[in-house]
Amino acid sequence: AGRGLDGGTARKFRVGFAPDSRDALVKYMADKDLDPSVLKDSGLVRQTNDGPSSYDFFRGRVIFPILDRRKQVVGFGGRILGTKTPKYINSPETDLFKKGLTLYNVSNASKSRGSVSALIVAEGYMDVIALHRAGYTRAVAPLGTAITNEQINLLWRFEAEPVLCFDGDSAGHSAAYRAAMRALPMLKAGHSLSFVFLPDGHDPDSMVSM
């Protein structure tokens, strides 16, 4: 609520919460008679190094489901509440989830293809949600890593010249530079990238909230 999310937006993006408990998910799924190996294969539960017990991977975090183009959940992102680090974590790589091959909100970006809204690439989940609320419904974000060749090609399937709009700080400028260097050898007729550079200290979320 402090970041401006209303209930409707939270429901649309299926934002949830993982309790700050070592085994809340383990116990819940045990009550549902789910095979524990499924949870381990998904990366949602991990095995201790010194025994047979398991523990939840996401704990005390706001949860952002990551959907593929068919709107099937393939992974999750978790944002810690408070000041602990790391601030964000993603599901580990699995047979379903390859973070370098997809984008957050990619299903909405593809569904809105042909709309007047530009295809904007931001840095994080909250930026995408804020842009969506401001009418930029085709906003997407890479998943905690520098943008990959596969993600650039995926963007070009939706838009000939997507707009990269990262945070207005040194890290955001570096991310834009890396994206440009990665894209240069891949440029082809009718396909390129555009860049928006924000004022110092701002990100897409703060700009659309002004």
mmCIF file of all heavy atoms in Angstrom, residues 90-128:
data_model
loop_
_atom_site.group_PDB
_atom_site.id
_atom_site.type_symbol
_atom_site.label_atom_id
_atom_site.label_comp_id
_atom_site.label_asym_id
_atom_site.label_seq_id
_atom_site.Cartn_x
_atom_site.Cartn_y
_atom_site.Cartn_z
ATOM 1 N N ASN A 90 15.044 -14.584 -6.880
ATOM 2 C CA ASN A 90 14.178 -15.275 -7.823
ATOM 3 C C ASN A 90 14.260 -16.768 -7.603
ATOM 4 O O ASN A 90 15.225 -17.285 -7.010
ATOM 5 C CB ASN A 90 14.592 -14.973 -9.270
ATOM 6 C CG ASN A 90 14.286 -13.559 -9.688
ATOM 7 O OD1 ASN A 90 13.284 -12.979 -9.284
ATOM 8 N ND2 ASN A 90 15.159 -12.990 -10.507
ATOM 9 N N SER A 91 13.251 -17.475 -8.093
ATOM 10 C CA SER A 91 13.324 -18.925 -8.116
ATOM 11 C C SER A 91 14.620 -19.367 -8.791
ATOM 12 O O SER A 91 15.073 -18.724 -9.740
ATOM 13 C CB SER A 91 12.145 -19.516 -8.893
ATOM 14 O OG SER A 91 10.931 -19.321 -8.229
ATOM 15 N N PRO A 92 15.213 -20.453 -8.323
ATOM 16 C CA PRO A 92 16.389 -20.972 -9.031
ATOM 17 C C PRO A 92 16.002 -21.521 -10.399
ATOM 18 O O PRO A 92 14.828 -21.764 -10.679
ATOM 19 C CB PRO A 92 16.889 -22.090 -8.103
ATOM 20 C CG PRO A 92 15.689 -22.487 -7.310
ATOM 21 C CD PRO A 92 14.861 -21.255 -7.143
ATOM 22 N N GLU A 93 16.990 -21.715 -11.247
ATOM 23 C CA GLU A 93 16.736 -22.268 -12.573
ATOM 24 C C GLU A 93 16.190 -23.689 -12.446
ATOM 25 O O GLU A 93 16.693 -24.507 -11.670
ATOM 26 C CB GLU A 93 18.032 -22.283 -13.384
ATOM 27 C CG GLU A 93 18.641 -20.907 -13.596
ATOM 28 C CD GLU A 93 18.317 -20.338 -14.967
ATOM 29 O OE1 GLU A 93 18.263 -21.108 -15.933
ATOM 30 O OE2 GLU A 93 18.133 -19.107 -15.056
ATOM 31 N N THR A 94 15.143 -23.970 -13.212
ATOM 32 C CA THR A 94 14.545 -25.301 -13.240
ATOM 33 C C THR A 94 14.251 -25.666 -14.693
ATOM 34 O O THR A 94 14.518 -24.886 -15.614
ATOM 35 C CB THR A 94 13.226 -25.338 -12.444
ATOM 36 O OG1 THR A 94 12.249 -24.522 -13.116
ATOM 37 C CG2 THR A 94 13.419 -24.829 -11.020
ATOM 38 N N ASP A 95 13.649 -26.850 -14.889
ATOM 39 C CA ASP A 95 13.262 -27.240 -16.245
ATOM 40 C C ASP A 95 12.235 -26.277 -16.815
ATOM 41 O O ASP A 95 12.157 -26.082 -18.031
ATOM 42 C CB ASP A 95 12.683 -28.656 -16.241
ATOM 43 C CG ASP A 95 13.738 -29.712 -15.962
ATOM 44 O OD1 ASP A 95 14.934 -29.406 -16.138
ATOM 45 O OD2 ASP A 95 13.375 -30.835 -15.560
ATOM 46 N N LEU A 96 11.419 -25.652 -15.952
ATOM 47 C CA LEU A 96 10.389 -24.717 -16.395
ATOM 48 C C LEU A 96 10.871 -23.278 -16.457
ATOM 49 O O LEU A 96 10.405 -22.500 -17.284
ATOM 50 C CB LEU A 96 9.173 -24.781 -15.450
ATOM 51 C CG LEU A 96 8.256 -25.984 -15.557
ATOM 52 C CD1 LEU A 96 7.170 -25.895 -14.498
ATOM 53 C CD2 LEU A 96 7.638 -26.068 -16.940
ATOM 54 N N PHE A 97 11.783 -22.916 -15.561
ATOM 55 C CA PHE A 97 12.148 -21.514 -15.389
ATOM 56 C C PHE A 97 13.597 -21.270 -15.786
ATOM 57 O O PHE A 97 14.530 -21.740 -15.124
ATOM 58 C CB PHE A 97 11.935 -21.108 -13.927
ATOM 59 C CG PHE A 97 12.296 -19.666 -13.633
ATOM 60 C CD1 PHE A 97 11.760 -18.631 -14.381
ATOM 61 C CD2 PHE A 97 13.176 -19.347 -12.602
ATOM 62 C CE1 PHE A 97 12.086 -17.313 -14.116
ATOM 63 C CE2 PHE A 97 13.505 -18.034 -12.324
ATOM 64 C CZ PHE A 97 12.961 -17.018 -13.081
ATOM 65 N N LYS A 98 13.770 -20.536 -16.883
ATOM 66 C CA LYS A 98 15.086 -20.092 -17.344
ATOM 67 C C LYS A 98 15.037 -18.571 -17.393
ATOM 68 O O LYS A 98 14.452 -17.988 -18.324
ATOM 69 C CB LYS A 98 15.403 -20.662 -18.734
ATOM 70 C CG LYS A 98 15.250 -22.176 -18.848
ATOM 71 C CD LYS A 98 16.278 -22.920 -18.046
ATOM 72 C CE LYS A 98 16.142 -24.431 -18.269
ATOM 73 N NZ LYS A 98 17.052 -25.207 -17.390
ATOM 74 N N LYS A 99 15.625 -17.928 -16.396
ATOM 75 C CA LYS A 99 15.396 -16.483 -16.265
ATOM 76 C C LYS A 99 15.976 -15.675 -17.420
ATOM 77 O O LYS A 99 15.515 -14.561 -17.676
ATOM 78 C CB LYS A 99 15.931 -15.971 -14.931
ATOM 79 C CG LYS A 99 17.411 -16.166 -14.686
ATOM 80 C CD LYS A 99 17.759 -15.731 -13.272
ATOM 81 C CE LYS A 99 19.230 -15.943 -12.952
ATOM 82 N NZ LYS A 99 19.547 -15.541 -11.556
ATOM 83 N N GLY A 100 16.957 -16.190 -18.122
ATOM 84 C CA GLY A 100 17.507 -15.467 -19.266
ATOM 85 C C GLY A 100 16.680 -15.601 -20.533
ATOM 86 O O GLY A 100 16.981 -14.962 -21.538
ATOM 87 N N LEU A 101 15.605 -16.416 -20.470
ATOM 88 C CA LEU A 101 14.802 -16.671 -21.657
ATOM 89 C C LEU A 101 13.422 -16.038 -21.602
ATOM 90 O O LEU A 101 12.666 -16.123 -22.581
ATOM 91 C CB LEU A 101 14.644 -18.191 -21.874
ATOM 92 C CG LEU A 101 15.925 -19.006 -22.023
ATOM 93 C CD1 LEU A 101 15.579 -20.475 -22.257
ATOM 94 C CD2 LEU A 101 16.773 -18.473 -23.170
ATOM 95 N N THR A 102 13.070 -15.419 -20.480
ATOM 96 C CA THR A 102 11.741 -14.828 -20.361
ATOM 97 C C THR A 102 11.844 -13.432 -19.766
ATOM 98 O O THR A 102 12.933 -12.952 -19.451
ATOM 99 C CB THR A 102 10.823 -15.725 -19.517
ATOM 100 O OG1 THR A 102 9.480 -15.252 -19.622
ATOM 101 C CG2 THR A 102 11.262 -15.744 -18.051
ATOM 102 N N LEU A 103 10.716 -12.795 -19.617
ATOM 103 C CA LEU A 103 10.635 -11.438 -19.084
ATOM 104 C C LEU A 103 9.434 -11.352 -18.151
ATOM 105 O O LEU A 103 8.409 -11.999 -18.393
ATOM 106 C CB LEU A 103 10.467 -10.412 -20.210
ATOM 107 C CG LEU A 103 11.611 -10.288 -21.218
ATOM 108 C CD1 LEU A 103 11.099 -9.686 -22.522
ATOM 109 C CD2 LEU A 103 12.742 -9.435 -20.644
ATOM 110 N N TYR A 104 9.555 -10.562 -17.098
ATOM 111 C CA TYR A 104 8.407 -10.342 -16.226
ATOM 112 C C TYR A 104 7.326 -9.579 -16.989
ATOM 113 O O TYR A 104 7.608 -8.598 -17.667
ATOM 114 C CB TYR A 104 8.838 -9.550 -14.991
ATOM 115 C CG TYR A 104 7.708 -9.309 -14.012
ATOM 116 C CD1 TYR A 104 7.095 -10.382 -13.370
ATOM 117 C CD2 TYR A 104 7.254 -8.030 -13.745
ATOM 118 C CE1 TYR A 104 6.049 -10.177 -12.474
ATOM 119 C CE2 TYR A 104 6.215 -7.806 -12.846
ATOM 120 C CZ TYR A 104 5.628 -8.891 -12.217
ATOM 121 O OH TYR A 104 4.591 -8.676 -11.343
ATOM 122 N N ASN A 105 6.099 -10.080 -16.904
ATOM 123 C CA ASN A 105 4.924 -9.494 -17.561
ATOM 124 C C ASN A 105 4.910 -9.732 -19.072
ATOM 125 O O ASN A 105 4.212 -9.045 -19.808
ATOM 126 C CB ASN A 105 4.803 -7.989 -17.281
ATOM 127 C CG ASN A 105 3.401 -7.448 -17.552
ATOM 128 O OD1 ASN A 105 2.409 -8.074 -17.185
ATOM 129 N ND2 ASN A 105 3.318 -6.291 -18.184
ATOM 130 N N VAL A 106 5.634 -10.730 -19.538
ATOM 131 C CA VAL A 106 5.711 -10.984 -20.979
ATOM 132 C C VAL A 106 4.351 -11.364 -21.542
ATOM 133 O O VAL A 106 4.041 -11.050 -22.704
ATOM 134 C CB VAL A 106 6.763 -12.068 -21.289
ATOM 135 C CG1 VAL A 106 6.341 -13.442 -20.774
ATOM 136 C CG2 VAL A 106 7.064 -12.128 -22.780
ATOM 137 N N SER A 107 3.496 -12.011 -20.754
ATOM 138 C CA SER A 107 2.190 -12.418 -21.273
ATOM 139 C C SER A 107 1.317 -11.209 -21.592
ATOM 140 O O SER A 107 0.609 -11.185 -22.600
ATOM 141 C CB SER A 107 1.475 -13.339 -20.280
ATOM 142 O OG SER A 107 1.303 -12.703 -19.026
ATOM 143 N N ASN A 108 1.362 -10.175 -20.741
ATOM 144 C CA ASN A 108 0.595 -8.964 -21.017
ATOM 145 C C ASN A 108 1.203 -8.172 -22.167
ATOM 146 O O ASN A 108 0.485 -7.536 -22.935
ATOM 147 C CB ASN A 108 0.510 -8.087 -19.767
ATOM 148 C CG ASN A 108 -0.503 -8.614 -18.779
ATOM 149 O OD1 ASN A 108 -1.526 -9.170 -19.156
ATOM 150 N ND2 ASN A 108 -0.221 -8.466 -17.495
ATOM 151 N N ALA A 109 2.523 -8.196 -22.288
ATOM 152 C CA ALA A 109 3.180 -7.474 -23.383
ATOM 153 C C ALA A 109 2.773 -8.057 -24.720
ATOM 154 O O ALA A 109 2.497 -7.332 -25.674
ATOM 155 C CB ALA A 109 4.694 -7.533 -23.210
ATOM 156 N N SER A 110 2.709 -9.379 -24.799
ATOM 157 C CA SER A 110 2.345 -10.004 -26.066
ATOM 158 C C SER A 110 0.857 -9.845 -26.342
ATOM 159 O O SER A 110 0.449 -9.669 -27.492
ATOM 160 C CB SER A 110 2.733 -11.489 -26.054
ATOM 161 O OG SER A 110 2.104 -12.176 -24.980
ATOM 162 N N LYS A 111 0.031 -9.892 -25.284
ATOM 163 C CA LYS A 111 -1.420 -9.751 -25.475
ATOM 164 C C LYS A 111 -1.782 -8.360 -25.982
ATOM 165 O O LYS A 111 -2.720 -8.190 -26.749
ATOM 166 C CB LYS A 111 -2.144 -10.014 -24.149
ATOM 167 C CG LYS A 111 -3.655 -9.954 -24.255
ATOM 168 C CD LYS A 111 -4.310 -10.206 -22.907
ATOM 169 C CE LYS A 111 -4.080 -9.051 -21.962
ATOM 170 N NZ LYS A 111 -4.846 -9.218 -20.697
ATOM 171 N N SER A 112 -1.001 -7.351 -25.547
ATOM 172 C CA SER A 112 -1.301 -5.967 -25.920
ATOM 173 C C SER A 112 -0.636 -5.558 -27.219
ATOM 174 O O SER A 112 -0.621 -4.394 -27.567
ATOM 175 C CB SER A 112 -0.837 -5.024 -24.793
ATOM 176 O OG SER A 112 -1.460 -5.347 -23.586
ATOM 177 N N ARG A 113 -0.079 -6.518 -27.912
ATOM 178 C CA ARG A 113 0.636 -6.222 -29.156
ATOM 179 C C ARG A 113 -0.261 -5.444 -30.123
ATOM 180 O O ARG A 113 -1.435 -5.756 -30.300
ATOM 181 C CB ARG A 113 1.074 -7.529 -29.811
ATOM 182 C CG ARG A 113 1.934 -7.344 -31.050
ATOM 183 C CD ARG A 113 2.350 -8.704 -31.567
ATOM 184 N NE ARG A 113 3.230 -8.586 -32.716
ATOM 185 C CZ ARG A 113 3.782 -9.627 -33.333
ATOM 186 N NH1 ARG A 113 3.546 -10.841 -32.908
ATOM 187 N NH2 ARG A 113 4.554 -9.457 -34.368
ATOM 188 N N GLY A 114 0.276 -4.421 -30.720
ATOM 189 C CA GLY A 114 -0.478 -3.616 -31.656
ATOM 190 C C GLY A 114 -1.206 -2.458 -30.999
ATOM 191 O O GLY A 114 -1.839 -1.663 -31.680
ATOM 192 N N SER A 115 -1.094 -2.340 -29.674
ATOM 193 C CA SER A 115 -1.746 -1.230 -28.987
ATOM 194 C C SER A 115 -0.891 0.030 -29.133
ATOM 195 O O SER A 115 0.231 -0.012 -29.624
ATOM 196 C CB SER A 115 -1.937 -1.559 -27.502
ATOM 197 O OG SER A 115 -0.693 -1.548 -26.826
ATOM 198 N N VAL A 116 -1.439 1.151 -28.670
ATOM 199 C CA VAL A 116 -0.695 2.403 -28.781
ATOM 200 C C VAL A 116 0.394 2.490 -27.716
ATOM 201 O O VAL A 116 1.264 3.353 -27.789
ATOM 202 C CB VAL A 116 -1.639 3.614 -28.661
ATOM 203 C CG1 VAL A 116 -2.603 3.635 -29.829
ATOM 204 C CG2 VAL A 116 -2.408 3.586 -27.342
ATOM 205 N N SER A 117 0.347 1.628 -26.713
ATOM 206 C CA SER A 117 1.336 1.668 -25.636
ATOM 207 C C SER A 117 2.682 1.169 -26.141
ATOM 208 O O SER A 117 2.777 0.141 -26.808
ATOM 209 C CB SER A 117 0.864 0.802 -24.461
ATOM 210 O OG SER A 117 1.862 0.717 -23.467
ATOM 211 N N ALA A 118 3.730 1.908 -25.816
ATOM 212 C CA ALA A 118 5.083 1.481 -26.193
ATOM 213 C C ALA A 118 5.489 0.249 -25.388
ATOM 214 O O ALA A 118 5.004 0.014 -24.278
ATOM 215 C CB ALA A 118 6.071 2.615 -25.934
ATOM 216 N N LEU A 119 6.381 -0.544 -25.950
ATOM 217 C CA LEU A 119 6.960 -1.676 -25.233
ATOM 218 C C LEU A 119 8.166 -1.155 -24.457
ATOM 219 O O LEU A 119 9.198 -0.825 -25.045
ATOM 220 C CB LEU A 119 7.366 -2.778 -26.206
ATOM 221 C CG LEU A 119 8.044 -4.005 -25.589
ATOM 222 C CD1 LEU A 119 7.166 -4.641 -24.526
ATOM 223 C CD2 LEU A 119 8.385 -5.018 -26.672
ATOM 224 N N ILE A 120 8.035 -1.046 -23.139
ATOM 225 C CA ILE A 120 9.061 -0.464 -22.280
ATOM 226 C C ILE A 120 9.712 -1.559 -21.447
ATOM 227 O O ILE A 120 9.020 -2.394 -20.857
ATOM 228 C CB ILE A 120 8.466 0.610 -21.358
ATOM 229 C CG1 ILE A 120 7.842 1.737 -22.181
ATOM 230 C CG2 ILE A 120 9.532 1.174 -20.413
ATOM 231 C CD1 ILE A 120 7.144 2.794 -21.348
ATOM 232 N N VAL A 121 11.036 -1.548 -21.395
ATOM 233 C CA VAL A 121 11.790 -2.480 -20.564
ATOM 234 C C VAL A 121 12.318 -1.714 -19.353
ATOM 235 O O VAL A 121 13.121 -0.783 -19.502
ATOM 236 C CB VAL A 121 12.968 -3.105 -21.333
ATOM 237 C CG1 VAL A 121 13.662 -4.157 -20.472
ATOM 238 C CG2 VAL A 121 12.483 -3.710 -22.652
ATOM 239 N N ALA A 122 11.843 -2.066 -18.166
ATOM 240 C CA ALA A 122 12.301 -1.449 -16.924
ATOM 241 C C ALA A 122 13.171 -2.449 -16.168
ATOM 242 O O ALA A 122 13.435 -3.553 -16.649
ATOM 243 C CB ALA A 122 11.106 -1.015 -16.088
ATOM 244 N N GLU A 123 13.600 -2.061 -14.967
ATOM 245 C CA GLU A 123 14.516 -2.925 -14.221
ATOM 246 C C GLU A 123 13.814 -3.945 -13.349
ATOM 247 O O GLU A 123 14.317 -5.054 -13.174
ATOM 248 C CB GLU A 123 15.463 -2.078 -13.356
ATOM 249 C CG GLU A 123 16.574 -1.421 -14.132
ATOM 250 C CD GLU A 123 17.654 -0.850 -13.226
ATOM 251 O OE1 GLU A 123 18.046 -1.517 -12.256
ATOM 252 O OE2 GLU A 123 18.096 0.279 -13.482
ATOM 253 N N GLY A 124 12.667 -3.589 -12.753
ATOM 254 C CA GLY A 124 12.120 -4.475 -11.737
ATOM 255 C C GLY A 124 10.619 -4.611 -11.763
ATOM 256 O O GLY A 124 9.907 -3.941 -12.526
ATOM 257 N N TYR A 125 10.138 -5.485 -10.892
ATOM 258 C CA TYR A 125 8.712 -5.798 -10.812
ATOM 259 C C TYR A 125 7.869 -4.551 -10.535
ATOM 260 O O TYR A 125 6.858 -4.313 -11.203
ATOM 261 C CB TYR A 125 8.455 -6.825 -9.704
ATOM 262 C CG TYR A 125 9.294 -8.067 -9.791
ATOM 263 C CD1 TYR A 125 10.270 -8.345 -8.834
ATOM 264 C CD2 TYR A 125 9.113 -8.986 -10.823
ATOM 265 C CE1 TYR A 125 11.037 -9.494 -8.907
ATOM 266 C CE2 TYR A 125 9.875 -10.135 -10.910
ATOM 267 C CZ TYR A 125 10.842 -10.378 -9.936
ATOM 268 O OH TYR A 125 11.604 -11.516 -10.024
ATOM 269 N N MET A 126 8.261 -3.789 -9.531
ATOM 270 C CA MET A 126 7.452 -2.634 -9.140
ATOM 271 C C MET A 126 7.426 -1.571 -10.232
ATOM 272 O O MET A 126 6.425 -0.875 -10.403
ATOM 273 C CB MET A 126 7.955 -2.050 -7.827
ATOM 274 C CG MET A 126 7.664 -2.920 -6.605
ATOM 275 S SD MET A 126 5.886 -3.203 -6.356
ATOM 276 C CE MET A 126 5.305 -1.521 -6.137
ATOM 277 N N ASP A 127 8.513 -1.428 -10.967
ATOM 278 C CA ASP A 127 8.525 -0.495 -12.102
ATOM 279 C C ASP A 127 7.498 -0.921 -13.147
ATOM 280 O O ASP A 127 6.743 -0.096 -13.680
ATOM 281 C CB ASP A 127 9.912 -0.434 -12.746
ATOM 282 C CG ASP A 127 10.948 0.206 -11.853
ATOM 283 O OD1 ASP A 127 10.615 1.186 -11.167
ATOM 284 O OD2 ASP A 127 12.086 -0.276 -11.826
ATOM 285 N N VAL A 128 7.473 -2.213 -13.457
ATOM 286 C CA VAL A 128 6.528 -2.728 -14.445
ATOM 287 C C VAL A 128 5.095 -2.483 -13.997
ATOM 288 O O VAL A 128 4.248 -2.025 -14.771
ATOM 289 C CB VAL A 128 6.769 -4.239 -14.679
ATOM 290 C CG1 VAL A 128 5.606 -4.860 -15.466
ATOM 291 C CG2 VAL A 128 8.081 -4.456 -15.409
#
